Amino acid sequence: MKPSESRRNSSLQGDLKRLGALAYHRLENSQDLVRSFHRFQQTGHPDFDRLQKLYAWLFVPITLWPIDIEGLLRAVLDRVASNRRFDKRMILLIDLLASAPTDQTQRAVSQHEHSVQHGNYEPLIRARHKYDQIESKLASDRTFQARWNSIKVHFDVAKFADHKGIIRRRLVAERSMREYWPFRWAKTADRFHAVFDVFCERWHLYGMRGDRPLLLKLTANLTPFGTMIFIPAYWSFDPKRDVNWRAITALHKARGVPKQGPKLSANQLAAREESIRARKLWKEAGVLKLKGDARIFWVLQELNRDLRTDERQLRRILARARDGN
């Protein structure tokens, strides 16, 4: 095997290993995309930079995906395979996509995903006894069991179970938005989901696994747009005792959230104004033919800064002006 082929194989195996370390069966779903990318990366496609940007997102925890990255990458690779350019709207979409989050963010969110995948919210949530108490009551609730049995009489419930044997109610999105809101009764599936949603609301469930009720938990979850904390309707919420705020705050900040506040904002604004002024003064000093220490001395004097301030600090001020911060 040639050295270049060995390096490519090593890179391919490394990427497959990275994908395999992610939650939600990512290797099973996307390993063909990894192999396709490694086949095409030497083709010199004119849109390769965008392809590479999108490929980096494939390894980001799915929790942070703003759209179906896997589906988009699949469509893009189909174009690469047929040697076609990306269309203009596809280019717009990829250009709007931010750079992949930092490795530190990805590690923190990936760890969170593995916990969520197994329904483990204990690092973030306390007061498990409140959940256990209601779950215990459900196990002996005759009315609940009778209603579930009546649903099984009217519907073949097994048809609505997923590969894990779980029947899930339909989700309520942010601000109670529901795509399925218009009432439909024509099809059996429509009738079942309407009945099952009402059944789950009455007993605070997210679904059923066989004859076992799946009670809602107090949870905290990341989304691409923010952090959502869900408090079940049955839960007598105590914000001081029920939630590990330190852990939730650390998880929320993992995406790189900067500090904020009125005082901090005022300080940031002042620093930005100073950096912009410093940049203008630096240019003026150049027009005045000032160089070296004389130029630095003049700019610091105009800024009313301590003349003992070293060149490094002034350059940091100038850098803020270039970065727009």
Side-chain angles (χ1 to χ4, degrees), residues 94-204:
I94 298 172
D95 286 350
L96 282 172
L97 189 66
S99 299
T102 65
D103 290 344
Q104 183 179 1
T105 295
Q106 292 188 45
R107 283 194 298 270
V109 178
S110 179
Q111 184 178 358
H112 172 67
E113 281 191 346
H114 280 290
S115 296
V116 171
Q117 184 177 11
H118 296 96
N120 176 24
Y121 290 94
E122 276 65 23
L124 305 177
I125 305 300
R126 300 177 176 132
R128 169 68 188 242
H129 63 277
K130 296 181 180 181
Y131 171 89
D132 293 338
Q133 181 183 16
I134 301 300
E135 187 181 46
S136 179
K137 285 183 178 180
L138 267 178
S140 58
D141 189 326
R142 294 183 179 180
T143 302
F144 163 78
Q145 194 59 55
R147 293 302 188 188
W148 175 236
N149 288 336
S150 66
I151 292 175
K152 292 194 291 183
V153 168
H154 288 87
F155 299 97
D156 183 359
V157 297
K159 290 183 178 180
F160 302 99
D162 63 15
H163 66 284
K164 295 181 180 179
I166 297 175
I167 306 172
R168 301 176 187 272
R169 63 168 172 79
R170 292 177 292 190
L171 298 179
V172 178
E174 298 171 72
R175 293 179 289 163
S176 293
M177 291 186 174
R178 302 175 229 191
E179 294 182 3
Y180 56 83
W181 187 246
F183 181 76
R184 297 182 178 89
W185 200 250
K187 299 179 180 179
T188 300
D190 295 331
R191 295 193 287 270
F192 172 78
H193 286 301
V195 168
F196 193 67
D197 286 351
V198 172
F199 171 75
C200 287
E201 186 277 333
R202 181 169 176 179
W203 277 282
H204 311 294

Side-chain angles (χ1 to χ4, degrees), residues 56-323:
W57 267 93
L58 186 66
F59 301 93
V60 173
I62 201 169
T63 294
L64 298 177
W65 287 5
I67 60 168
D68 177 12
I69 296 294
E70 180 191 323
L72 174 57
L73 182 57
R74 200 173 294 280
V76 163
L77 285 171
D78 285 345
R79 284 184 170 268
V80 174
S82 57
N83 202 29
R84 289 181 295 159
R85 293 292 306 268
F86 302 170
D87 67 55
K88 292 182 179 179
R89 291 186 177 92
M90 188 174 283
I91 289 173
L92 172 64
L93 174 58
I94 298 172
D95 286 350
L96 282 172
L97 189 66
S99 299
T102 65
D103 290 344
Q104 183 179 1
T105 295
Q106 292 188 45
R107 283 194 298 270
V109 178
S110 179
Q111 184 178 358
H112 172 67
E113 281 191 346
H114 280 290
S115 296
V116 171
Q117 184 177 11
H118 296 96
N120 176 24
Y121 290 94
E122 276 65 23
L124 305 177
I125 305 300
R126 300 177 176 132
R128 169 68 188 242
H129 63 277
K130 296 181 180 181
Y131 171 89
D132 293 338
Q133 181 183 16
I134 301 300
E135 187 181 46
S136 179
K137 285 183 178 180
L138 267 178
S140 58
D141 189 326
R142 294 183 179 180
T143 302
F144 163 78
Q145 194 59 55
R147 293 302 188 188
W148 175 236
N149 288 336
S150 66
I151 292 175
K152 292 194 291 183
V153 168
H154 288 87
F155 299 97
D156 183 359
V157 297
K159 290 183 178 180
F160 302 99
D162 63 15
H163 66 284
K164 295 181 180 179
I166 297 175
I167 306 172
R168 301 176 187 272
R169 63 168 172 79
R170 292 177 292 190
L171 298 179
V172 178
E174 298 171 72
R175 293 179 289 163
S176 293
M177 291 186 174
R178 302 175 229 191
E179 294 182 3
Y180 56 83
W181 187 246
F183 181 76
R184 297 182 178 89
W185 200 250
K187 299 179 180 179
T188 300
D190 295 331
R191 295 193 287 270
F192 172 78
H193 286 301
V195 168
F196 193 67
D197 286 351
V198 172
F199 171 75
C200 287
E201 186 277 333
R202 181 169 176 179
W203 277 282
H204 311 294
L205 311 178
Y206 71 85
M208 294 286 293
R209 174 180 272 148
D211 291 328
R212 177 193 167 193
L214 300 175
L215 185 66
L216 287 164
K217 295 181 177 181
L218 176 62
T219 60
N221 286 289
L222 292 182
T223 78
F225 301 97
T227 302
M228 297 181 68
I229 298 175
F230 177 81
I231 307 169
Y234 70 82
W235 196 286
S236 177
F237 186 61
D238 183 338
K240 292 184 178 180
R241 294 182 176 87
D242 294 354
V243 176
N244 184 348
W245 288 113
R246 179 175 293 182
I248 291 176
T249 300
L251 183 64
H252 178 76
K253 288 184 175 180
R255 62 176 87 235
V257 181
K259 291 183 178 180
Q260 296 168 320
K263 184 176 180 180
L264 185 63
S265 297
N267 291 341
Q268 288 175 334
L269 179 61
R272 182 182 180 189
E273 289 176 349
E274 182 185 48
S275 66
I276 293 172
R277 185 161 178 260
R279 188 68 177 168
K280 291 179 179 178
L281 290 170
W282 188 259
K283 291 180 180 179
E284 288 180 22
V287 173
L288 294 172
K289 307 296 184 183
L290 297 176
K291 297 180 180 180
D293 292 341
R295 190 176 190 179
I296 294 170
F297 181 87
W298 186 85
V299 172
L300 290 174
Q301 190 173 42
E302 292 297 315
L303 287 173
N304 295 318
R305 297 294 294 261
D306 189 338
L307 300 182
R308 293 168 296 180
T309 301
D310 63 12
E311 180 181 357
R312 185 179 302 173
Q313 185 170 351
L314 176 59
R315 292 197 180 280
R316 282 199 296 268
I317 295 172
L318 295 170
R320 284 201 298 269
R322 289 193 297 272
D323 296 340

Side-chain angles (χ1 to χ4, degrees), residues 1-12 38 41-42:
M1 181 182 295
K2 297 179 180 179
S4 59
E5 292 177 351
S6 178
R7 284 193 296 271
R8 284 199 296 271
N9 287 338
S10 176
S11 178
L12 169 61
H38 280 267
Q41 65 176 334
Q42 304 298 326

